[in-house]
């Protein structure tokens, strides 16, 4: 198992794992979310071809109510 | 006629509304519909990993094909955090460049940190964002933001969520009279007359959230705000009568009185 930091929490995953695989595992497939990996945006078009590595730091965000 | 134009796009409504502090998405949507707003702000936050991913999503209640979604940087205290948030927002909204920049100074006043706001605005404009910017009611810094390339300047009328109304109409007038981009009062409006006053000053629009969401009847207040903004705009265009401090002027004829 490899460690990934997602939204500030460390979680265990089995590599190889693409961003698309991660999105699927988290239950967000088809949802309107955005992903940042190690400070860089991963565009939707790149989710399937972007492989994650041990220690990667990810942010997964959504729109919520705000002013 | 007299439509609001922001970054080349025309809007019929001059009322912009937030989506925070409502009981649920149904109430959010009902209030937005009653307000007539076409531009709707949202915040960007981390998903709750591990929680039910099938929970309803705000953008299902307020779909981007129907509304112009204005992602904000609420809660950001540095230029870097604000820029990072809006890059994520642009990805989330399929490349949509319009955004609301706000960089806060402290959690008590939520007053804008202007040096960081100016810094973030510069970066965002260079990256192709269309930046509507929450700012202090300082006419010099509002002009600086315009010169950087912001598409609208949005001075506070009073503190965010305070409902204290228009505290410094003279500064707002200075900003309005100098600006070549739309000036939108953002923050502080408490009730419909506040919105009307902002518009009578010559503001191009008003952005609000709490005044509607925390009214006893948010949907009814949204309708009142719509009318307040429209009334204020019409009064501004109509041009008010001059104030006469010391002499009254009867509206009825002074001749033809009985018994004369």
């Amino acid at each position: 198992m490899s460690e990934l930091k997602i939204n500030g929490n460390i979680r265990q995953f089995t590599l190889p794992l693409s961003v698309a695989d991660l999105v699927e595992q988290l239950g967000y497939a088809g949802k309107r979310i955005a992903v940042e990996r190690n400070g860089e945006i991963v565009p939707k078009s790149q989710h399937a071809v972007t492989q994650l590595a041990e220690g990667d730091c990810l942010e997964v965000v959504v729109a919520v109510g705000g002013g | 006629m007299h439509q609001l134009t922001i970054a080349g796009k025309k809007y019929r409504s001059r009322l912009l509304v937030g989506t925070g502090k409502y009981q649920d998405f149904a109430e959010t949507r009902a209030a937005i519909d009653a307000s007539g707003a076409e531009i709707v702000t949202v915040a960007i936050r981390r998903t709750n990993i591990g929680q039910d991913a099938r929970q309803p999503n705000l953008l299902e209640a307020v779909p981007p094909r129907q509304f112009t979604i204005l992602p904000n940087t609420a809660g950001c205290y540095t230029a870097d955090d604000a820029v990072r948030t809006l890059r994520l927002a642009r990805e989330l909204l399929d490349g949509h460049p319009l955004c609301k920049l706000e960089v806060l100074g402290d959690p008590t006043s939520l007053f804008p940190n202007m040096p960081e706001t100016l810094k973030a605005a510069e970066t965002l404009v260079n990256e192709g964002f269309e930046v509507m910017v929450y700012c202090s009611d300082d006419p010099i810094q509002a002009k600086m933001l315009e010169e950087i390339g912001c598409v609208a300047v949005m001075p506070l009328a009073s503190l965010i969520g305070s409902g204290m109304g228009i505290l410094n109409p003279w500064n707002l007038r200075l900003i309005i009279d100098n600006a070549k981009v739309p000036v939108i009062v953002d923050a502080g409006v408490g009730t419909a007359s506040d919105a009307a006053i902002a518009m009578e000053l010559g503001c191009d629009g008003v952005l609000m959230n709490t005044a509607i969401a925390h009214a006893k009847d948010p949907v009814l207040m949204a309708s009142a705000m719509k009318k307040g903004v429209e009334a204020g705009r019409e009064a501004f265009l109509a041009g008010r009568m001059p104030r006469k401090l010391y002499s009254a002027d009867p509206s009825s004829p002074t001749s033809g009185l009985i018994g004369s």
Side-chain angles (χ1 to χ4, degrees):
Chain A
M1 297 292 269
S2 302
E3 286 189 347
L4 300 176
K5 195 173 183 184
I6 307 176
N7 290 354
N9 295 312
I10 291 173
R11 295 174 157 262
Q12 308 286 330
F13 289 89
T14 305
L15 299 183
L17 189 75
S18 70
V19 172
D21 296 333
L22 177 71
V23 167
E24 173 86 41
Q25 285 192 21
L26 295 174
Y28 298 137
K31 297 276 176 190
R32 202 180 262 278
I33 51 135
V35 180
E36 184 199 80
R37 178 194 179 213
N38 301 330
E40 301 285 333
I41 300 292
V42 184
K44 276 179 209 77
S45 60
Q46 300 298 307
H47 283 193
V49 296
T50 304
Q51 293 298 321
L52 296 169
E54 169 91 37
D56 273 358
C57 196
L58 296 140
E59 295 286 343
V60 184
V61 301
V62 68
V64 302
Chain B
M1 71 161 204
H2 305 305
Q3 286 184 320
L4 171 64
T5 304
I6 297 172
K9 193 174 170 197
K10 288 185 163 31
Y11 300 91
R12 288 181 308 280
S13 172
R14 290 175 180 275
L15 175 57
L16 295 73
V17 298
T19 52
K21 302 178 177 173
Y22 288 98
Q23 284 179 7
D24 52 39
F25 291 152
E27 186 183 64
T28 310
R29 179 56 195 261
I32 294 170
D33 286 344
S35 77
E38 296 161 278
I39 301 176
V40 175
T41 65
V42 303
I44 304 298
R45 290 291 180 273
R46 285 172 163 172
T47 58
N48 291 320
I49 305 285
Q51 292 199 6
D52 186 0
R54 290 164 303 177
Q55 281 175 356
N57 182 309
L58 173 63
L59 294 181
E60 288 162 11
V62 188
R65 62 188 147 72
Q66 204 176 343
F67 296 94
T68 296
I69 304 297
L70 190 64
N72 71 23
T73 61
C76 291
Y77 287 85
T78 65
D80 286 347
D81 281 350
V83 168
R84 204 173 151 200
T85 299
L86 289 175
R87 286 177 185 148
L88 278 161
R90 182 157 66 175
E91 165 65 15
L92 187 74
L93 296 166
D94 306 319
H96 161 91
L98 193 70
C99 61
K100 171 180 162 177
L101 171 64
E102 56 181 298
V103 186
L104 304 174
D106 79 66
T108 305
S109 70
L110 302 178
F111 212 81
N113 177 328
M114 290 306 295
E116 289 293 302
T117 300
L118 287 156
K119 202 166 115 189
E122 194 129 21
T123 304
L124 291 165
V125 168
N126 285 335
E127 292 187 13
F129 285 91
E130 294 167 352
V131 182
M132 301 174 69
V133 56
Y134 169 64
C135 55
S136 60
D137 62 355
D138 171 345
I140 307 304
Q141 296 194 93
K143 196 69 190 171
M144 287 174 177
L145 288 164
E146 179 184 322
E147 283 164 357
I148 285 170
C150 292
V151 298
V153 293
M154 306 202 292
L156 48 76
S158 49
L159 301 183
I160 292 175
S162 70
M164 289 294 286
I166 315 291
L167 296 188
N168 195 339
W170 315 114
N171 272 30
L172 291 177
R173 272 297 294 273
L174 279 170
I175 293 172
I176 292 161
D177 290 349
N178 281 316
K180 293 191 182 67
V181 294
V183 177
I184 292 168
V185 156
D186 179 2
V189 164
T191 188
S193 55
D194 295 335
I197 290 168
M199 295 307 294
E200 286 171 9
L201 287 169
C203 286
D204 296 282
V206 181
L207 197 166
M208 65 181 74
N209 190 150
T210 312
I212 296 174
H214 278 186
K216 279 188 191 152
D217 183 338
V219 177
L220 189 57
M221 185 58 89
S223 167
M225 290 299 186
K226 177 183 188 203
K227 292 166 186 158
V229 167
E230 286 172 357
R233 178 66 183 172
E234 288 185 7
F236 169 72
L237 293 174
R240 63 155 294 143
M241 63 166 282
R243 288 182 171 84
K244 294 179 198 139
L245 280 181
Y246 300 111
S247 60
D249 182 3
S251 298
S252 306
T254 50
S255 61
L257 287 153
I258 59 164
S260 56

